[in-house]
Amino acid sequence: MRTRAAVSAALASAGILIAGWQSGVHIADSSSAVASAATGTAGSTGMGTGTGTGTDDSTASSGSSGAGTTGAAGASAKAVGTYAGSVVQTRFGSVQVQITVQAGKITDVTALQLTDAERKSVQISNRAAPLLRDEVLQSQSADVQTISGATVTSDAYLNSLQAALDAANL
Amino acid sequence: MQPTSELAGSVLKARTFGSMGTVISLTVPARALGTAAVPGTAGGGERELDAAAAAVERVFARADETFSLYRPDSEASRLARGELSLRAASAGMRDRYADALSWRLMTEGAFSPERPDGVLDLSGIIKGYAIGQAGAALRSRGITDWCLNAGGDVLVMGSPVPGSGAAWAAGVVDPLDRSALLSAYGLGGPGTRWALATSGSAERGDHIWTAGSRGVEFAQVSVAAADIVTADVLATAIVAGGTAMLHRATDGWDIDVLVVRRTGELLATPGFRA
Protein backbone atom coordinates (compact mmCIF):
# COMPACT_ATOMS: atom_id res chain seq x y z
CA MET A 1 0.00 0.00 0.00
CA ARG A 2 2.78 2.41 0.93
CA THR A 3 4.57 1.66 -2.32
CA ARG A 4 1.45 2.27 -4.27
CA ALA A 5 0.91 5.60 -2.54
CA ALA A 6 4.50 6.62 -3.23
CA VAL A 7 4.16 5.69 -6.89
CA SER A 8 0.97 7.66 -7.32
CA ALA A 9 2.50 10.63 -5.52
CA ALA A 10 5.49 10.47 -7.86
CA LEU A 11 3.20 10.24 -10.87
CA ALA A 12 1.22 13.22 -9.65
CA SER A 13 4.39 15.26 -9.19
CA ALA A 14 5.54 14.32 -12.65
CA GLY A 15 2.17 15.40 -13.97
CA ILE A 16 2.50 18.79 -12.30
CA LEU A 17 6.01 19.19 -13.64
CA ILE A 18 4.92 18.36 -17.15
CA ALA A 19 1.98 20.70 -16.90
CA GLY A 20 4.28 23.46 -15.69
CA TRP A 21 6.76 22.78 -18.45
CA GLN A 22 4.02 22.83 -21.05
CA SER A 23 2.58 26.09 -19.83
CA GLY A 24 6.09 27.56 -19.84
CA VAL A 25 6.49 26.56 -23.44
CA HIS A 26 3.11 27.98 -24.19
CA ILE A 27 4.03 31.35 -22.72
CA ALA A 28 7.26 31.46 -24.71
CA ASP A 29 5.34 30.61 -27.88
CA SER A 30 2.73 33.23 -27.35
CA SER A 31 5.20 35.99 -26.57
CA SER A 32 7.19 35.32 -29.71
CA ALA A 33 3.93 35.12 -31.62
CA VAL A 34 2.96 38.56 -30.37
CA ALA A 35 6.38 39.94 -31.21
CA SER A 36 6.25 38.58 -34.74
CA ALA A 37 2.71 39.86 -35.11
CA ALA A 38 4.03 43.31 -34.32
CA THR A 39 6.74 42.74 -36.87
CA GLY A 40 4.25 41.69 -39.47
CA THR A 41 2.61 45.07 -39.38
CA ALA A 42 5.77 46.94 -40.25
CA GLY A 43 5.08 46.65 -43.93
CA SER A 44 1.38 47.33 -43.67
CA THR A 45 -0.21 50.42 -45.08
CA GLY A 46 -2.12 53.24 -43.50
CA MET A 47 -1.62 54.21 -39.94
CA GLY A 48 0.11 51.00 -39.05
CA THR A 49 3.61 52.32 -38.86
CA GLY A 50 4.90 49.20 -37.19
CA THR A 51 8.09 50.81 -36.04
CA GLY A 52 10.35 48.67 -33.95
CA THR A 53 12.59 50.84 -31.84
CA GLY A 54 14.00 47.73 -30.35
CA THR A 55 17.62 47.44 -29.46
CA ASP A 56 18.65 43.85 -29.49
CA ASP A 57 20.72 42.67 -26.60
CA SER A 58 22.18 39.93 -28.68
CA THR A 59 25.03 40.68 -31.02
CA ALA A 60 23.15 39.36 -34.01
CA SER A 61 21.84 42.67 -35.23
CA SER A 62 22.02 46.30 -34.33
CA GLY A 63 18.47 47.53 -34.28
CA SER A 64 18.67 49.91 -37.20
CA SER A 65 15.14 49.92 -38.49
CA GLY A 66 12.69 47.94 -40.52
CA ALA A 67 10.92 44.66 -40.22
CA GLY A 68 13.95 42.41 -40.37
CA THR A 69 15.67 43.62 -37.27
CA THR A 70 12.42 43.80 -35.37
CA GLY A 71 11.82 40.22 -36.30
CA ALA A 72 15.21 39.21 -35.01
CA ALA A 73 14.53 41.07 -31.81
CA GLY A 74 11.16 39.41 -31.44
CA ALA A 75 12.56 35.96 -31.93
CA SER A 76 15.35 36.44 -29.46
CA ALA A 77 14.64 35.64 -25.87
CA LYS A 78 16.85 38.54 -24.85
CA ALA A 79 15.02 41.10 -26.92
CA VAL A 80 14.37 44.49 -25.41
CA GLY A 81 12.39 47.19 -27.07
CA THR A 82 9.09 48.66 -27.98
CA TYR A 83 6.99 47.50 -30.89
CA ALA A 84 3.94 49.08 -32.46
CA GLY A 85 1.11 47.00 -33.82
CA SER A 86 -1.18 47.77 -36.70
CA VAL A 87 -4.20 50.04 -36.47
CA VAL A 88 -7.25 47.98 -35.63
CA GLN A 89 -10.83 49.17 -35.87
CA THR A 90 -12.82 48.55 -32.70
CA ARG A 91 -16.10 49.81 -31.38
CA PHE A 92 -14.12 52.45 -29.52
CA GLY A 93 -12.58 53.70 -32.76
CA SER A 94 -9.10 53.12 -34.20
CA VAL A 95 -6.69 51.49 -31.81
CA GLN A 96 -2.94 51.00 -32.21
CA VAL A 97 -1.14 49.12 -29.50
CA GLN A 98 2.49 49.41 -28.45
CA ILE A 99 4.22 46.68 -26.49
CA THR A 100 7.42 46.83 -24.52
CA VAL A 101 9.47 43.66 -24.44
CA GLN A 102 12.17 42.84 -21.97
CA ALA A 103 13.97 39.50 -21.87
CA GLY A 104 11.45 38.09 -24.30
CA LYS A 105 8.51 39.05 -22.12
CA ILE A 106 5.92 41.71 -22.69
CA THR A 107 6.30 44.12 -19.80
CA ASP A 108 3.95 46.86 -20.92
CA VAL A 109 1.09 47.40 -23.32
CA THR A 110 -0.03 50.92 -24.18
CA ALA A 111 -2.36 52.48 -26.70
CA LEU A 112 -0.49 54.65 -29.21
CA GLN A 113 -3.55 55.70 -31.09
CA LEU A 114 -7.09 55.80 -29.98
CA THR A 115 -9.53 57.94 -31.85
CA ASP A 116 -13.19 58.05 -32.66
CA ALA A 117 -14.66 58.96 -36.05
CA GLU A 118 -13.83 62.64 -35.48
CA ARG A 119 -10.19 61.75 -34.76
CA LYS A 120 -10.58 62.80 -31.17
CA SER A 121 -8.81 60.81 -28.55
CA VAL A 122 -11.25 58.66 -26.61
CA GLN A 123 -11.38 56.55 -23.50
CA ILE A 124 -10.12 53.06 -24.34
CA SER A 125 -12.51 51.04 -22.27
CA ASN A 126 -16.12 51.32 -21.34
CA ARG A 127 -15.15 51.69 -17.69
CA ALA A 128 -17.10 54.07 -15.53
CA ALA A 129 -15.04 57.17 -14.77
CA PRO A 130 -15.68 60.07 -12.38
CA LEU A 131 -17.82 62.78 -13.91
CA LEU A 132 -19.15 66.08 -12.67
CA ARG A 133 -22.89 66.47 -12.50
CA ASP A 134 -22.97 68.83 -15.47
CA GLU A 135 -20.91 66.38 -17.54
CA VAL A 136 -23.60 63.71 -17.76
CA LEU A 137 -26.47 63.82 -20.23
CA GLN A 138 -28.93 66.32 -18.84
CA SER A 139 -32.65 66.50 -19.17
CA GLN A 140 -35.65 68.15 -17.62
CA SER A 141 -38.53 65.99 -16.48
CA ALA A 142 -40.71 67.77 -19.06
CA ASP A 143 -38.53 66.36 -21.81
CA VAL A 144 -38.55 62.66 -20.96
CA GLN A 145 -41.19 59.99 -21.55
CA THR A 146 -40.30 57.75 -18.63
CA ILE A 147 -38.32 57.77 -15.39
CA SER A 148 -35.85 55.22 -14.06
CA GLY A 149 -35.18 55.12 -10.34
CA ALA A 150 -34.69 52.71 -7.51
CA THR A 151 -37.90 50.76 -6.96
CA VAL A 152 -40.84 52.98 -6.15
CA THR A 153 -43.46 51.48 -3.86
CA SER A 154 -47.12 51.96 -4.65
CA ASP A 155 -47.24 54.59 -1.90
CA ALA A 156 -44.17 56.47 -3.07
CA TYR A 157 -45.43 56.37 -6.64
CA LEU A 158 -48.09 58.95 -5.79
CA ASN A 159 -45.52 61.71 -5.47
CA SER A 160 -43.08 60.46 -8.12
CA LEU A 161 -42.09 62.04 -11.40
CA GLN A 162 -43.30 58.92 -13.20
CA ALA A 163 -46.78 59.39 -11.75
CA ALA A 164 -46.87 62.94 -13.09
CA LEU A 165 -45.87 61.72 -16.56
CA ASP A 166 -48.47 58.95 -16.46
CA ALA A 167 -51.18 61.37 -15.32
CA ALA A 168 -50.35 63.70 -18.21
CA ASN A 169 -50.77 60.86 -20.70
CA LEU A 170 -53.90 59.24 -19.31
CA MET B 1 -32.25 63.05 -26.74
CA GLN B 2 -35.38 64.47 -28.27
CA PRO B 3 -37.59 66.38 -25.86
CA THR B 4 -41.28 65.48 -25.78
CA SER B 5 -42.20 69.03 -26.67
CA GLU B 6 -40.53 68.59 -30.04
CA LEU B 7 -42.13 65.24 -30.78
CA ALA B 8 -44.30 66.89 -33.39
CA GLY B 9 -47.85 65.66 -33.44
CA SER B 10 -47.16 62.63 -31.29
CA VAL B 11 -49.51 62.09 -28.41
CA LEU B 12 -48.61 59.51 -25.81
CA LYS B 13 -51.25 57.45 -24.05
CA ALA B 14 -50.58 55.72 -20.74
CA ARG B 15 -52.18 53.03 -18.58
CA THR B 16 -51.08 52.21 -15.06
CA PHE B 17 -51.86 49.45 -12.59
CA GLY B 18 -50.41 48.09 -9.37
CA SER B 19 -48.66 44.75 -9.09
CA MET B 20 -45.76 43.20 -7.19
CA GLY B 21 -45.93 46.00 -4.64
CA THR B 22 -45.19 48.68 -7.20
CA VAL B 23 -46.82 50.53 -10.07
CA ILE B 24 -46.50 49.46 -13.69
CA SER B 25 -46.96 52.03 -16.47
CA LEU B 26 -47.50 51.25 -20.15
CA THR B 27 -46.98 54.22 -22.48
CA VAL B 28 -47.78 54.01 -26.17
CA PRO B 29 -47.87 56.68 -28.90
CA ALA B 30 -51.49 57.21 -29.92
CA ARG B 31 -50.48 56.86 -33.56
CA ALA B 32 -49.26 53.32 -32.92
CA LEU B 33 -52.71 52.28 -31.82
CA GLY B 34 -54.75 51.17 -34.82
CA THR B 35 -57.50 53.68 -35.52
CA ALA B 36 -56.71 56.04 -32.70
CA ALA B 37 -55.24 58.62 -35.06
CA VAL B 38 -58.37 58.73 -37.22
CA PRO B 39 -60.70 61.51 -36.03
CA GLY B 40 -64.00 60.30 -34.69
CA THR B 41 -62.84 56.75 -34.01
CA ALA B 42 -60.58 57.44 -31.05
CA GLY B 43 -62.45 54.83 -29.03
CA GLY B 44 -60.83 52.01 -31.02
CA GLY B 45 -57.34 53.04 -30.02
CA GLU B 46 -58.32 53.42 -26.39
CA ARG B 47 -59.80 49.93 -26.40
CA GLU B 48 -56.67 48.53 -28.00
CA LEU B 49 -54.55 50.18 -25.31
CA ASP B 50 -56.85 48.84 -22.57
CA ALA B 51 -56.52 45.32 -24.00
CA ALA B 52 -52.73 45.65 -24.24
CA ALA B 53 -52.52 46.90 -20.64
CA ALA B 54 -54.71 43.98 -19.51
CA ALA B 55 -52.32 41.54 -21.23
CA VAL B 56 -49.37 43.16 -19.45
CA GLU B 57 -51.24 43.07 -16.14
CA ARG B 58 -51.92 39.33 -16.53
CA VAL B 59 -48.19 38.67 -16.98
CA PHE B 60 -47.35 40.53 -13.77
CA ALA B 61 -50.25 38.96 -11.84
CA ARG B 62 -49.05 35.48 -12.78
CA ALA B 63 -45.46 36.24 -11.70
CA ASP B 64 -46.74 37.79 -8.48
CA GLU B 65 -48.89 34.75 -7.61
CA THR B 66 -46.00 32.35 -8.10
CA PHE B 67 -42.97 34.24 -6.85
CA SER B 68 -44.04 36.76 -4.20
CA LEU B 69 -42.86 35.96 -0.69
CA TYR B 70 -45.38 38.35 0.86
CA ARG B 71 -48.19 36.08 -0.32
CA PRO B 72 -48.35 33.14 2.11
CA ASP B 73 -50.06 30.98 -0.53
CA SER B 74 -47.46 31.54 -3.28
CA GLU B 75 -45.24 28.75 -4.53
CA ALA B 76 -42.22 30.78 -3.38
CA SER B 77 -43.61 31.00 0.17
CA ARG B 78 -44.27 27.24 0.28
CA LEU B 79 -40.66 26.68 -0.86
CA ALA B 80 -39.39 29.10 1.79
CA ARG B 81 -41.33 27.26 4.52
CA GLY B 82 -39.96 23.94 3.33
CA GLU B 83 -43.38 22.58 2.41
CA LEU B 84 -42.22 22.17 -1.18
CA SER B 85 -38.88 21.02 -2.53
CA LEU B 86 -37.29 22.55 -5.62
CA ARG B 87 -37.53 19.16 -7.29
CA ALA B 88 -41.29 19.24 -6.87
CA ALA B 89 -41.56 22.91 -7.85
CA SER B 90 -43.00 24.15 -11.12
CA ALA B 91 -40.85 24.30 -14.26
CA GLY B 92 -41.08 28.10 -14.17
CA MET B 93 -39.76 28.23 -10.61
CA ARG B 94 -36.89 25.88 -11.40
CA ASP B 95 -36.01 27.80 -14.58
CA ARG B 96 -35.85 31.13 -12.75
CA TYR B 97 -33.81 29.52 -9.98
CA ALA B 98 -31.38 28.19 -12.62
CA ASP B 99 -31.21 31.68 -14.19
CA ALA B 100 -30.50 33.23 -10.80
CA LEU B 101 -27.76 30.69 -10.05
CA SER B 102 -26.08 31.37 -13.37
CA TRP B 103 -26.21 35.12 -12.61
CA ARG B 104 -24.64 34.41 -9.23
CA LEU B 105 -21.77 32.64 -11.03
CA MET B 106 -21.38 35.39 -13.63
CA THR B 107 -21.34 38.13 -10.99
CA GLU B 108 -19.04 36.13 -8.71
CA GLY B 109 -21.62 36.12 -5.96
CA ALA B 110 -22.54 39.82 -6.03
CA PHE B 111 -26.02 38.80 -7.16
CA SER B 112 -27.56 35.96 -5.19
CA PRO B 113 -30.96 34.28 -5.16
CA GLU B 114 -30.61 33.40 -1.50
CA ARG B 115 -31.05 35.71 1.44
CA PRO B 116 -28.42 35.65 4.20
CA ASP B 117 -30.86 33.54 6.25
CA GLY B 118 -30.87 30.94 3.49
CA VAL B 119 -34.36 31.58 2.19
CA LEU B 120 -34.68 31.39 -1.58
CA ASP B 121 -35.73 34.84 -2.82
CA LEU B 122 -35.99 35.26 -6.56
CA SER B 123 -37.44 38.78 -6.40
CA GLY B 124 -34.15 40.17 -7.72
CA ILE B 125 -34.74 38.47 -11.05
CA ILE B 126 -38.52 38.07 -11.26
CA LYS B 127 -39.45 41.68 -11.93
CA GLY B 128 -37.01 41.90 -14.85
CA TYR B 129 -38.25 38.57 -16.16
CA ALA B 130 -41.88 39.70 -15.90
CA ILE B 131 -41.10 42.97 -17.71
CA GLY B 132 -39.47 40.98 -20.52
CA GLN B 133 -42.48 38.64 -20.72
CA ALA B 134 -44.85 41.61 -20.80
CA GLY B 135 -42.82 43.08 -23.66
CA ALA B 136 -43.16 39.80 -25.55
CA ALA B 137 -46.94 39.91 -24.95
CA LEU B 138 -47.07 43.43 -26.44
CA ARG B 139 -45.06 42.37 -29.48
CA SER B 140 -47.31 39.38 -30.01
CA ARG B 141 -50.28 41.78 -30.13
CA GLY B 142 -48.56 43.59 -33.00
CA ILE B 143 -47.72 46.71 -30.98
CA THR B 144 -44.24 47.80 -32.01
CA ASP B 145 -43.86 51.16 -30.23
CA TRP B 146 -44.18 51.11 -26.45
CA CYS B 147 -42.49 51.95 -23.18
CA LEU B 148 -43.02 49.79 -20.12
CA ASN B 149 -42.00 51.04 -16.67
CA ALA B 150 -42.26 48.79 -13.63
CA GLY B 151 -41.28 50.61 -10.45
CA GLY B 152 -38.46 52.49 -12.18
CA ASP B 153 -37.17 49.69 -14.41
CA VAL B 154 -37.78 50.46 -18.07
CA LEU B 155 -38.07 48.41 -21.26
CA VAL B 156 -38.93 49.98 -24.62
CA MET B 157 -39.54 49.01 -28.21
CA GLY B 158 -39.66 51.27 -31.25
CA SER B 159 -40.04 55.00 -30.76
CA PRO B 160 -42.32 57.58 -29.10
CA VAL B 161 -42.86 58.86 -32.65
CA PRO B 162 -43.59 55.72 -34.70
CA GLY B 163 -41.37 55.42 -37.74
CA SER B 164 -39.17 58.39 -36.80
CA GLY B 165 -36.35 56.38 -35.25
CA ALA B 166 -36.30 58.78 -32.30
CA ALA B 167 -35.24 57.20 -29.02
CA TRP B 168 -37.41 57.05 -25.93
CA ALA B 169 -35.97 59.58 -23.48
CA ALA B 170 -35.63 58.04 -20.03
CA GLY B 171 -34.77 60.25 -17.08
CA VAL B 172 -32.73 58.94 -14.16
CA VAL B 173 -33.93 60.13 -10.74
CA ASP B 174 -31.50 62.00 -8.53
CA PRO B 175 -31.29 59.90 -5.35
CA LEU B 176 -30.46 63.03 -3.35
CA ASP B 177 -33.56 64.84 -4.63
CA ARG B 178 -36.16 62.45 -5.96
CA SER B 179 -38.14 65.28 -7.52
CA ALA B 180 -35.26 66.05 -9.88
CA LEU B 181 -33.52 64.23 -12.70
CA LEU B 182 -29.85 63.43 -12.45
CA SER B 183 -29.41 62.45 -16.07
CA ALA B 184 -31.18 61.10 -19.11
CA TYR B 185 -30.59 58.23 -21.49
CA GLY B 186 -31.93 57.47 -24.97
CA LEU B 187 -33.47 53.99 -25.13
CA GLY B 188 -34.21 52.22 -28.41
CA GLY B 189 -34.27 54.39 -31.50
CA PRO B 190 -30.93 54.09 -33.28
CA GLY B 191 -29.27 52.44 -30.26
CA THR B 192 -29.05 48.82 -29.21
CA ARG B 193 -30.07 49.33 -25.60
CA TRP B 194 -33.73 48.93 -24.88
CA ALA B 195 -33.63 48.49 -21.12
CA LEU B 196 -32.68 50.73 -18.21
CA ALA B 197 -32.80 49.57 -14.60
CA THR B 198 -31.90 51.46 -11.45
CA SER B 199 -31.09 50.00 -8.03
CA GLY B 200 -30.49 51.87 -4.83
CA SER B 201 -28.95 50.91 -1.53
CA ALA B 202 -31.97 52.40 0.24
CA GLU B 203 -34.52 50.73 -1.95
CA ARG B 204 -37.57 48.81 -0.85
CA GLY B 205 -37.20 45.12 -0.27
CA ASP B 206 -34.28 43.18 0.94
CA HIS B 207 -32.88 41.63 -2.18
CA ILE B 208 -29.61 43.53 -2.14
CA TRP B 209 -27.16 42.00 0.25
CA THR B 210 -23.72 43.45 0.24
CA ALA B 211 -20.78 41.19 -0.33
CA GLY B 212 -18.68 41.35 2.80
CA SER B 213 -19.37 43.33 5.92
CA ARG B 214 -18.26 46.76 4.77
CA GLY B 215 -20.87 49.36 4.02
CA VAL B 216 -22.40 50.06 0.69
CA GLU B 217 -20.29 52.29 -1.55
CA PHE B 218 -23.01 53.30 -3.99
CA ALA B 219 -26.28 55.06 -3.29
CA GLN B 220 -27.71 54.37 -6.73
CA VAL B 221 -26.71 52.42 -9.83
CA SER B 222 -28.38 52.64 -13.25
CA VAL B 223 -27.57 50.13 -15.98
CA ALA B 224 -28.62 50.35 -19.65
CA ALA B 225 -28.49 47.07 -21.56
CA ALA B 226 -30.07 45.28 -24.49
CA ASP B 227 -32.41 43.33 -22.21
CA ILE B 228 -34.09 44.15 -18.93
CA VAL B 229 -32.95 41.12 -16.92
CA THR B 230 -29.28 41.94 -17.62
CA ALA B 231 -29.85 45.61 -16.74
CA ASP B 232 -31.76 44.78 -13.54
CA VAL B 233 -29.46 42.04 -12.28
CA LEU B 234 -26.27 44.00 -12.96
CA ALA B 235 -27.65 47.16 -11.30
CA THR B 236 -28.41 45.06 -8.21
CA ALA B 237 -25.04 43.31 -8.35
CA ILE B 238 -23.09 46.59 -8.64
CA VAL B 239 -24.86 48.08 -5.61
CA ALA B 240 -23.99 44.92 -3.68
CA GLY B 241 -20.48 44.40 -5.04
CA GLY B 242 -19.20 47.98 -5.22
CA THR B 243 -16.30 49.17 -7.38
CA ALA B 244 -14.93 45.69 -8.12
CA MET B 245 -18.29 44.52 -9.46
CA LEU B 246 -18.72 47.79 -11.37
CA HIS B 247 -15.51 47.15 -13.32
CA ARG B 248 -16.35 43.48 -13.86
CA ALA B 249 -19.73 44.52 -15.26
CA THR B 250 -18.43 47.17 -17.66
CA ASP B 251 -15.59 44.88 -18.80
CA GLY B 252 -17.79 41.83 -19.26
CA TRP B 253 -21.08 43.16 -20.62
CA ASP B 254 -22.06 45.62 -23.33
CA ILE B 255 -23.72 48.11 -20.99
CA ASP B 256 -23.74 51.72 -19.90
CA VAL B 257 -23.62 52.50 -16.21
CA LEU B 258 -24.28 55.60 -14.12
CA VAL B 259 -23.28 55.36 -10.46
CA VAL B 260 -24.02 57.78 -7.64
CA ARG B 261 -21.59 57.25 -4.82
CA ARG B 262 -22.73 57.66 -1.23
CA THR B 263 -20.82 60.94 -1.24
CA GLY B 264 -22.87 62.17 -4.19
CA GLU B 265 -20.04 61.89 -6.71
CA LEU B 266 -20.82 60.33 -10.08
CA LEU B 267 -19.14 57.56 -12.05
CA ALA B 268 -20.28 56.99 -15.61
CA THR B 269 -19.42 55.07 -18.75
CA PRO B 270 -19.01 57.15 -21.94
CA GLY B 271 -22.63 56.47 -22.96
CA PHE B 272 -23.88 58.68 -20.13
CA ARG B 273 -21.45 61.50 -20.96
CA ALA B 274 -23.03 64.62 -22.41
Side-chain angles (χ1 to χ4, degrees):
Chain A
M1 279 301 124
R2 285 184 65 95
T3 327
R4 206 163 148 187
V7 167
S8 37
L11 281 175
S13 310
I16 290 164
L17 282 173
I18 287 166
W21 177 74
Q22 279 177 332
S23 64
V25 166
H26 180 72
I27 288 163
D29 277 351
S30 61
S31 66
S32 68
V34 169
S36 57
T39 310
T41 61
S44 71
T45 54
M47 304 294 289
T49 49
T51 48
T53 57
T55 52
D56 198 333
D57 277 349
S58 71
T59 53
S61 65
S62 62
S64 54
S65 70
T69 49
T70 315
S76 164
K78 295 176 184 172
V80 174
T82 55
Y83 306 91
S86 55
V87 176
V88 176
Q89 298 302 321
T90 75
R91 70 187 173 94
F92 304 113
S94 308
V95 179
Q96 186 181 18
V97 171
Q98 173 180 279
I99 60 169
T100 303
V101 179
Q102 276 176 339
K105 285 182 183 165
I106 297 172
T107 56
D108 193 23
V109 179
T110 55
L112 281 185
Q113 184 193 342
L114 201 57
T115 60
D116 61 13
E118 285 82 46
R119 298 268 159 222
K120 287 183 301 192
S121 152
V122 293
Q123 196 179 337
I124 187 164
S125 74
N126 193 39
R127 285 211 163 183
L131 279 187
L132 297 175
R133 289 203 163 220
D134 57 5
E135 291 177 321
V136 291
L137 289 166
Q138 301 289 314
S139 191
Q140 301 299 313
S141 54
D143 298 331
V144 299
Q145 291 100 48
T146 194
I147 310 279
S148 184
T151 305
V152 176
T153 61
S154 304
D155 294 343
Y157 172 80
L158 185 64
N159 297 311
S160 72
L161 291 171
Q162 181 65 37
L165 286 182
D166 289 339
N169 290 327
L170 281 177
Chain B
M1 202 71 39
Q2 193 166 15
T4 308
S5 52
E6 291 172 21
L7 299 177
S10 180
V11 178
L12 297 175
K13 303 297 286 180
R15 289 290 182 275
T16 61
F17 60 90
S19 187
M20 299 177 100
T22 187
V23 175
I24 287 103
S25 313
L26 170 64
T27 307
V28 178
R31 266 203 275 163
L33 290 165
T35 55
V38 180
T41 58
E46 294 285 335
R47 275 199 298 277
E48 193 179 338
L49 178 55
D50 286 338
V56 169
E57 191 165 358
R58 278 195 297 277
V59 170
F60 279 92
R62 216 163 36 233
D64 194 34
E65 279 163 23
T66 307
F67 296 101
S68 285
L69 282 169
Y70 69 85
R71 288 168 172 263
D73 58 334
S74 72
E75 190 181 353
S77 289
R78 287 191 291 136
L79 267 171
R81 288 194 301 265
E83 296 167 15
L84 184 71
S85 72
L86 261 177
R87 195 159 45 164
S90 66
M93 177 67 73
R94 281 183 281 129
D95 287 350
R96 297 294 78 72
Y97 182 62
D99 290 347
L101 287 184
S102 98
W103 278 109
R104 176 160 72 186
L105 272 177
M106 288 190 287
T107 61
E108 298 178 29
F111 177 89
S112 173
E114 275 145 24
R115 296 202 311 230
D117 62 6
V119 169
L120 178 66
D121 184 351
L122 295 174
S123 56
I125 202 167
I126 292 306
K127 189 167 78 166
Y129 181 75
I131 296 170
Q133 291 280 295
L138 290 170
R139 279 198 301 277
S140 74
R141 301 183 72 85
I143 305 173
T144 53
D145 299 280
W146 46 262
C147 173
L148 196 53
N149 187 319
D153 294 340
V154 183
L155 179 66
V156 309
M157 183 178 179
S159 167
V161 188
S164 73
W168 289 90
V172 175
V173 162
D174 186 342
L176 307 180
D177 174 8
R178 297 191 66 86
S179 67
L181 293 184
L182 178 67
S183 181
Y185 193 87
L187 288 175
T192 56
R193 285 165 194 165
W194 293 276
L196 178 64
T198 298
S199 282
S201 52
E203 91 182 54
R204 176 190 67 100
D206 222 5
H207 72 270
I208 294 176
W209 309 294
T210 52
S213 53
R214 70 203 155 73
V216 192
E217 288 177 71
F218 302 149
Q220 180 173 291
V221 175
S222 301
V223 175
D227 72 278
I228 186 65
V229 172
T230 300
D232 197 14
V233 168
L234 290 179
T236 305
I238 293 169
V239 170
T243 304
M245 185 60 223
L246 169 64
H247 292 326
R248 276 203 301 276
T250 53
D251 288 351
W253 281 269
D254 189 14
I255 55 173
D256 274 311
V257 185
L258 175 66
V259 170
V260 185
R261 303 181 68 93
R262 298 269 283 201
T263 52
E265 297 156 324
L266 304 183
L267 300 170
T269 56
F272 271 101
R273 189 181 275 275

